[in-house]
Amino acid sequence: RRWGVSNVPGAAPPAERPAASGCRLSLSPTMESTRPRCPSLRSLRGFVGVTLAVCLVCCFLDATCMLPHGSSHIGEGTEDLCLPASAVRKTYHKRLSSWKDKTNATNLRGSLPPRQPAEPTLSPDCRLAEASVAERAGARIAGRQQGSAAMHVILDLRDLWVYKSWDPFTLEGLMKQKRGKMPATASDDEVCRALVQSSTRANRDFDAAARARQRFGYVEETLSIYLGLGCIIVALYLLLEQVFALRSGQSRKEGTSDAADIQPHLPD
């Protein structure tokens, strides 16, 4: 008669309980269950702890200018490193202003380096646009390497989100994007001239953000970035902890129901 199985001839066997779906978080060791065990909350807590420790080490290295940037090449004008955002924007504006003065010169188009024979032929306006795109990309890289490595990564991810490419600063890609904002009848030269004009203008939102943080130094800015990252990690962990708690309560209820169904069954 153990576990509801009666040895009396003719006794009706107990009704089979359908298998429960989902996973089990906490059941009694003496109870069997066909459901897989859910991921342990303890392992998740350990992963979060290791992640926060890595962020702390990176924060120390970045704040002391010892954390290398992820860029594979060094931009020009990066002699001054570990600068706050306000100082970085000033050097960035200075470089764009210098290039704007060059594009206004009448002899700039004739002084551009010749293209390779295998490269497609471009009009003078598009050759100037190509040089402007390269100059703007170089100014971006130089400016990001003057700031913190964490901000460099954030801005690279922002470019991926906006331009949908890891290498967005090409003449073809930017012409396609600029053409989408212009009338359908715009010619290639008109698109190239619009690119030359936009390459000498800085992003107003980034300028406003830099002015708002002008009172902060490099170390304060770097610490604020990693502090925000740590808060996001902790918030995600607390959210997952609540999800685990809800599923654990549901699993306990199902386990109690399973235990009630497998109590010894005595025949009439």
Side-chain angles (χ1 to χ4, degrees):
R1 294 193 181 102
R2 188 180 182 184
W3 304 111
V5 179
S6 175
N7 294 329
V8 178
E16 295 184 358
R17 179 180 177 84
S21 60
C23 60
R24 56 190 176 98
L25 286 171
S26 59
L27 292 176
S28 173
T30 60
M31 295 169 52
E32 297 180 357
S33 175
T34 58
R35 287 175 293 165
R37 186 177 296 276
C38 290
S40 173
L41 186 60
R42 182 178 300 177
S43 61
L44 178 62
R45 187 181 297 114
F47 174 76
V48 172
V50 172
T51 304
L52 291 176
V54 172
C55 289
L56 184 61
V57 173
C58 292
C59 178
F60 173 77
L61 295 176
D62 205 356
T64 55
C65 305
M66 292 190 295
L67 186 64
H69 289 243
S71 181
S72 59
H73 56 283
I74 304 298
E76 297 180 1
T78 55
E79 295 82 3
D80 297 328
L81 301 178
C82 299
L83 298 178
S86 57
V88 171
R89 297 304 291 181
K90 288 180 181 179
T91 57
Y92 182 67
H93 277 274
K94 183 178 180 181
R95 182 163 175 174
L96 292 185
S97 178
S98 175
W99 180 252
K100 183 178 180 179
D101 295 338
K102 291 181 180 179
T103 58
N104 292 332
T106 56
N107 59 347
L108 178 61
R109 289 173 175 81
S111 62
L112 293 175
R115 296 175 59 84
Q116 298 297 328
E119 296 178 340
T121 304
L122 296 176
S123 65
D125 288 330
C126 288
R127 289 188 60 194
L128 182 59
E130 184 181 42
S132 299
V133 168
E135 179 67 19
R136 179 74 176 267
R140 283 174 179 263
I141 295 174
R144 294 177 184 183
Q145 289 176 341
Q146 288 179 323
S148 66
M151 181 58 71
H152 193 161
V153 173
I154 292 173
L155 293 176
D156 284 346
L157 294 177
R158 178 259 178 191
D159 289 343
L160 178 64
W161 175 264
V162 173
Y163 299 102
K164 306 297 187 296
S165 174
W166 284 111
D167 188 20
F169 304 111
T170 61
L171 179 62
E172 294 78 10
L174 293 180
M175 283 186 65
K176 182 178 179 180
Q177 186 184 29
K178 180 65 70 174
R179 189 182 297 277
K181 301 177 182 179
M182 299 179 64
T185 57
S187 63
D188 288 346
D189 286 343
E190 291 176 341
V191 175
C192 289
R193 285 193 291 268
L195 275 179
V196 173
Q197 294 177 1
S198 62
S199 66
T200 59
R201 293 194 301 264
N203 190 297
R204 295 181 179 179
D205 295 334
F206 283 101
D207 291 341
R211 286 193 299 268
R213 295 181 296 176
Q214 192 170 3
R215 63 182 183 277
F216 297 113
Y218 172 79
V219 176
E220 290 84 357
E221 283 188 355
T222 305
L223 292 178
S224 65
I225 293 173
Y226 285 94
L227 180 61
L229 179 60
C231 291
I232 292 175
I233 294 174
V234 172
L236 290 176
Y237 167 73
L238 294 177
L239 178 61
L240 291 176
E241 190 177 43
Q242 293 299 319
V243 173
F244 270 72
L246 292 176
R247 298 195 64 174
S248 177
Q250 182 181 2
S251 180
R252 288 193 185 97
K253 292 180 181 179
E254 293 178 357
T256 304
S257 179
D258 291 341
D261 289 342
I262 60 178
Q263 291 297 324
H265 176 73
L266 298 177
D268 296 335

PDB file of all heavy atoms in Angstrom, residues 106-126:
ATOM      1  N   THR A 106      39.588  78.301 -52.186  1.00  0.00           N
ATOM      2  CA  THR A 106      39.265  77.978 -53.582  1.00  0.00           C
ATOM      3  C   THR A 106      40.208  76.935 -54.169  1.00  0.00           C
ATOM      4  O   THR A 106      39.854  76.248 -55.130  1.00  0.00           O
ATOM      5  CB  THR A 106      39.336  79.248 -54.438  1.00  0.00           C
ATOM      6  OG1 THR A 106      40.638  79.843 -54.291  1.00  0.00           O
ATOM      7  CG2 THR A 106      38.278  80.254 -53.996  1.00  0.00           C
ATOM      8  N   ASN A 107      41.419  76.804 -53.616  1.00  0.00           N
ATOM      9  CA  ASN A 107      42.392  75.892 -54.207  1.00  0.00           C
ATOM     10  C   ASN A 107      42.427  74.542 -53.510  1.00  0.00           C
ATOM     11  O   ASN A 107      43.319  73.741 -53.775  1.00  0.00           O
ATOM     12  CB  ASN A 107      43.794  76.512 -54.168  1.00  0.00           C
ATOM     13  CG  ASN A 107      44.224  76.836 -52.743  1.00  0.00           C
ATOM     14  OD1 ASN A 107      43.395  76.829 -51.830  1.00  0.00           O
ATOM     15  ND2 ASN A 107      45.507  77.148 -52.575  1.00  0.00           N
ATOM     16  N   LEU A 108      41.509  74.256 -52.594  1.00  0.00           N
ATOM     17  CA  LEU A 108      41.569  72.992 -51.858  1.00  0.00           C
ATOM     18  C   LEU A 108      41.272  71.810 -52.771  1.00  0.00           C
ATOM     19  O   LEU A 108      41.929  70.765 -52.661  1.00  0.00           O
ATOM     20  CB  LEU A 108      40.579  73.012 -50.694  1.00  0.00           C
ATOM     21  CG  LEU A 108      40.519  71.727 -49.863  1.00  0.00           C
ATOM     22  CD1 LEU A 108      41.881  71.441 -49.231  1.00  0.00           C
ATOM     23  CD2 LEU A 108      39.451  71.831 -48.782  1.00  0.00           C
ATOM     24  N   ARG A 109      40.294  71.941 -53.660  1.00  0.00           N
ATOM     25  CA  ARG A 109      39.938  70.824 -54.518  1.00  0.00           C
ATOM     26  C   ARG A 109      41.113  70.380 -55.388  1.00  0.00           C
ATOM     27  O   ARG A 109      41.319  69.194 -55.624  1.00  0.00           O
ATOM     28  CB  ARG A 109      38.740  71.195 -55.397  1.00  0.00           C
ATOM     29  CG  ARG A 109      37.432  71.299 -54.632  1.00  0.00           C
ATOM     30  CD  ARG A 109      36.327  71.826 -55.522  1.00  0.00           C
ATOM     31  NE  ARG A 109      35.028  71.823 -54.855  1.00  0.00           N
ATOM     32  CZ  ARG A 109      34.621  72.750 -54.011  1.00  0.00           C
ATOM     33  NH1 ARG A 109      35.423  73.770 -53.716  1.00  0.00           N
ATOM     34  NH2 ARG A 109      33.428  72.670 -53.440  1.00  0.00           N
ATOM     35  N   GLY A 110      41.904  71.346 -55.847  1.00  0.00           N
ATOM     36  CA  GLY A 110      43.045  70.983 -56.668  1.00  0.00           C
ATOM     37  C   GLY A 110      44.205  70.407 -55.885  1.00  0.00           C
ATOM     38  O   GLY A 110      45.073  69.744 -56.461  1.00  0.00           O
ATOM     39  N   SER A 111      44.238  70.622 -54.574  1.00  0.00           N
ATOM     40  CA  SER A 111      45.336  70.120 -53.757  1.00  0.00           C
ATOM     41  C   SER A 111      45.049  68.759 -53.132  1.00  0.00           C
ATOM     42  O   SER A 111      45.884  68.239 -52.387  1.00  0.00           O
ATOM     43  CB  SER A 111      45.654  71.125 -52.644  1.00  0.00           C
ATOM     44  OG  SER A 111      44.525  71.284 -51.780  1.00  0.00           O
ATOM     45  N   LEU A 112      43.878  68.189 -53.396  1.00  0.00           N
ATOM     46  CA  LEU A 112      43.559  66.882 -52.831  1.00  0.00           C
ATOM     47  C   LEU A 112      44.431  65.814 -53.476  1.00  0.00           C
ATOM     48  O   LEU A 112      44.771  65.897 -54.669  1.00  0.00           O
ATOM     49  CB  LEU A 112      42.080  66.544 -53.073  1.00  0.00           C
ATOM     50  CG  LEU A 112      41.078  67.422 -52.325  1.00  0.00           C
ATOM     51  CD1 LEU A 112      39.652  67.073 -52.745  1.00  0.00           C
ATOM     52  CD2 LEU A 112      41.240  67.275 -50.821  1.00  0.00           C
ATOM     53  N   PRO A 113      44.832  64.779 -52.722  1.00  0.00           N
ATOM     54  CA  PRO A 113      45.693  63.740 -53.295  1.00  0.00           C
ATOM     55  C   PRO A 113      44.952  62.962 -54.382  1.00  0.00           C
ATOM     56  O   PRO A 113      43.742  62.774 -54.307  1.00  0.00           O
ATOM     57  CB  PRO A 113      46.012  62.840 -52.079  1.00  0.00           C
ATOM     58  CG  PRO A 113      44.894  63.095 -51.116  1.00  0.00           C
ATOM     59  CD  PRO A 113      44.503  64.521 -51.319  1.00  0.00           C
ATOM     60  N   PRO A 114      45.672  62.520 -55.419  1.00  0.00           N
ATOM     61  CA  PRO A 114      45.014  61.778 -56.506  1.00  0.00           C
ATOM     62  C   PRO A 114      44.524  60.417 -56.021  1.00  0.00           C
ATOM     63  O   PRO A 114      45.083  59.815 -55.111  1.00  0.00           O
ATOM     64  CB  PRO A 114      46.122  61.651 -57.552  1.00  0.00           C
ATOM     65  CG  PRO A 114      47.402  61.740 -56.770  1.00  0.00           C
ATOM     66  CD  PRO A 114      47.120  62.681 -55.635  1.00  0.00           C
ATOM     67  N   ARG A 115      43.467  59.922 -56.652  1.00  0.00           N
ATOM     68  CA  ARG A 115      42.921  58.622 -56.311  1.00  0.00           C
ATOM     69  C   ARG A 115      43.669  57.529 -57.055  1.00  0.00           C
ATOM     70  O   ARG A 115      44.311  57.765 -58.079  1.00  0.00           O
ATOM     71  CB  ARG A 115      41.428  58.563 -56.666  1.00  0.00           C
ATOM     72  CG  ARG A 115      40.591  59.538 -55.850  1.00  0.00           C
ATOM     73  CD  ARG A 115      39.142  59.541 -56.317  1.00  0.00           C
ATOM     74  NE  ARG A 115      38.530  58.228 -56.203  1.00  0.00           N
ATOM     75  CZ  ARG A 115      37.979  57.747 -55.090  1.00  0.00           C
ATOM     76  NH1 ARG A 115      37.971  58.497 -53.990  1.00  0.00           N
ATOM     77  NH2 ARG A 115      37.431  56.561 -55.066  1.00  0.00           N
ATOM     78  N   GLN A 116      43.588  56.311 -56.533  1.00  0.00           N
ATOM     79  CA  GLN A 116      44.237  55.180 -57.165  1.00  0.00           C
ATOM     80  C   GLN A 116      43.528  54.819 -58.469  1.00  0.00           C
ATOM     81  O   GLN A 116      42.330  55.060 -58.626  1.00  0.00           O
ATOM     82  CB  GLN A 116      44.233  53.982 -56.214  1.00  0.00           C
ATOM     83  CG  GLN A 116      44.993  54.222 -54.923  1.00  0.00           C
ATOM     84  CD  GLN A 116      46.461  54.462 -55.151  1.00  0.00           C
ATOM     85  OE1 GLN A 116      47.058  53.909 -56.090  1.00  0.00           O
ATOM     86  NE2 GLN A 116      47.070  55.295 -54.303  1.00  0.00           N
ATOM     87  N   PRO A 117      44.243  54.222 -59.430  1.00  0.00           N
ATOM     88  CA  PRO A 117      43.600  53.881 -60.710  1.00  0.00           C
ATOM     89  C   PRO A 117      42.414  52.929 -60.545  1.00  0.00           C
ATOM     90  O   PRO A 117      41.456  52.993 -61.329  1.00  0.00           O
ATOM     91  CB  PRO A 117      44.739  53.228 -61.506  1.00  0.00           C
ATOM     92  CG  PRO A 117      45.990  53.779 -60.900  1.00  0.00           C
ATOM     93  CD  PRO A 117      45.680  53.968 -59.449  1.00  0.00           C
ATOM     94  N   ALA A 118      42.462  52.029 -59.544  1.00  0.00           N
ATOM     95  CA  ALA A 118      41.379  51.064 -59.381  1.00  0.00           C
ATOM     96  C   ALA A 118      40.146  51.663 -58.722  1.00  0.00           C
ATOM     97  O   ALA A 118      39.071  51.068 -58.752  1.00  0.00           O
ATOM     98  CB  ALA A 118      41.862  49.870 -58.548  1.00  0.00           C
ATOM     99  N   GLU A 119      40.284  52.833 -58.124  1.00  0.00           N
ATOM    100  CA  GLU A 119      39.161  53.467 -57.448  1.00  0.00           C
ATOM    101  C   GLU A 119      38.273  54.194 -58.452  1.00  0.00           C
ATOM    102  O   GLU A 119      38.750  54.679 -59.480  1.00  0.00           O
ATOM    103  CB  GLU A 119      39.664  54.452 -56.390  1.00  0.00           C
ATOM    104  CG  GLU A 119      40.428  53.789 -55.268  1.00  0.00           C
ATOM    105  CD  GLU A 119      40.961  54.795 -54.264  1.00  0.00           C
ATOM    106  OE1 GLU A 119      41.075  55.987 -54.633  1.00  0.00           O
ATOM    107  OE2 GLU A 119      41.266  54.401 -53.130  1.00  0.00           O
ATOM    108  N   PRO A 120      36.966  54.262 -58.171  1.00  0.00           N
ATOM    109  CA  PRO A 120      36.061  54.933 -59.108  1.00  0.00           C
ATOM    110  C   PRO A 120      36.351  56.428 -59.186  1.00  0.00           C
ATOM    111  O   PRO A 120      36.817  57.047 -58.233  1.00  0.00           O
ATOM    112  CB  PRO A 120      34.674  54.659 -58.521  1.00  0.00           C
ATOM    113  CG  PRO A 120      34.918  54.385 -57.063  1.00  0.00           C
ATOM    114  CD  PRO A 120      36.261  53.719 -57.010  1.00  0.00           C
ATOM    115  N   THR A 121      36.069  56.981 -60.342  1.00  0.00           N
ATOM    116  CA  THR A 121      36.285  58.405 -60.566  1.00  0.00           C
ATOM    117  C   THR A 121      35.188  59.211 -59.882  1.00  0.00           C
ATOM    118  O   THR A 121      34.005  58.881 -59.979  1.00  0.00           O
ATOM    119  CB  THR A 121      36.298  58.708 -62.069  1.00  0.00           C
ATOM    120  OG1 THR A 121      37.294  57.902 -62.704  1.00  0.00           O
ATOM    121  CG2 THR A 121      36.585  60.180 -62.328  1.00  0.00           C
ATOM    122  N   LEU A 122      35.597  60.269 -59.191  1.00  0.00           N
ATOM    123  CA  LEU A 122      34.652  61.124 -58.494  1.00  0.00           C
ATOM    124  C   LEU A 122      34.777  62.549 -59.009  1.00  0.00           C
ATOM    125  O   LEU A 122      35.842  62.979 -59.464  1.00  0.00           O
ATOM    126  CB  LEU A 122      34.912  61.101 -56.978  1.00  0.00           C
ATOM    127  CG  LEU A 122      34.721  59.773 -56.253  1.00  0.00           C
ATOM    128  CD1 LEU A 122      35.105  59.916 -54.787  1.00  0.00           C
ATOM    129  CD2 LEU A 122      33.283  59.282 -56.373  1.00  0.00           C
ATOM    130  N   SER A 123      33.693  63.264 -58.886  1.00  0.00           N
ATOM    131  CA  SER A 123      33.706  64.673 -59.244  1.00  0.00           C
ATOM    132  C   SER A 123      34.480  65.460 -58.186  1.00  0.00           C
ATOM    133  O   SER A 123      34.710  64.969 -57.070  1.00  0.00           O
ATOM    134  CB  SER A 123      32.270  65.196 -59.350  1.00  0.00           C
ATOM    135  OG  SER A 123      31.641  65.144 -58.082  1.00  0.00           O
ATOM    136  N   PRO A 124      34.905  66.677 -58.491  1.00  0.00           N
ATOM    137  CA  PRO A 124      35.637  67.476 -57.482  1.00  0.00           C
ATOM    138  C   PRO A 124      34.836  67.668 -56.190  1.00  0.00           C
ATOM    139  O   PRO A 124      35.427  67.622 -55.092  1.00  0.00           O
ATOM    140  CB  PRO A 124      35.877  68.797 -58.203  1.00  0.00           C
ATOM    141  CG  PRO A 124      35.892  68.446 -59.650  1.00  0.00           C
ATOM    142  CD  PRO A 124      34.892  67.352 -59.808  1.00  0.00           C
ATOM    143  N   ASP A 125      33.527  67.855 -56.288  1.00  0.00           N
ATOM    144  CA  ASP A 125      32.723  68.021 -55.077  1.00  0.00           C
ATOM    145  C   ASP A 125      32.711  66.752 -54.234  1.00  0.00           C
ATOM    146  O   ASP A 125      32.798  66.815 -53.000  1.00  0.00           O
ATOM    147  CB  ASP A 125      31.289  68.417 -55.444  1.00  0.00           C
ATOM    148  CG  ASP A 125      31.203  69.849 -55.941  1.00  0.00           C
ATOM    149  OD1 ASP A 125      32.028  70.683 -55.501  1.00  0.00           O
ATOM    150  OD2 ASP A 125      30.323  70.141 -56.776  1.00  0.00           O
ATOM    151  N   CYS A 126      32.608  65.606 -54.881  1.00  0.00           N
ATOM    152  CA  CYS A 126      32.573  64.343 -54.134  1.00  0.00           C
ATOM    153  C   CYS A 126      33.953  63.979 -53.600  1.00  0.00           C
ATOM    154  O   CYS A 126      34.067  63.332 -52.555  1.00  0.00           O
ATOM    155  CB  CYS A 126      32.031  63.227 -55.020  1.00  0.00           C
ATOM    156  SG  CYS A 126      30.251  63.363 -55.356  1.00  0.00           S
TER     157      CYS A 126
END
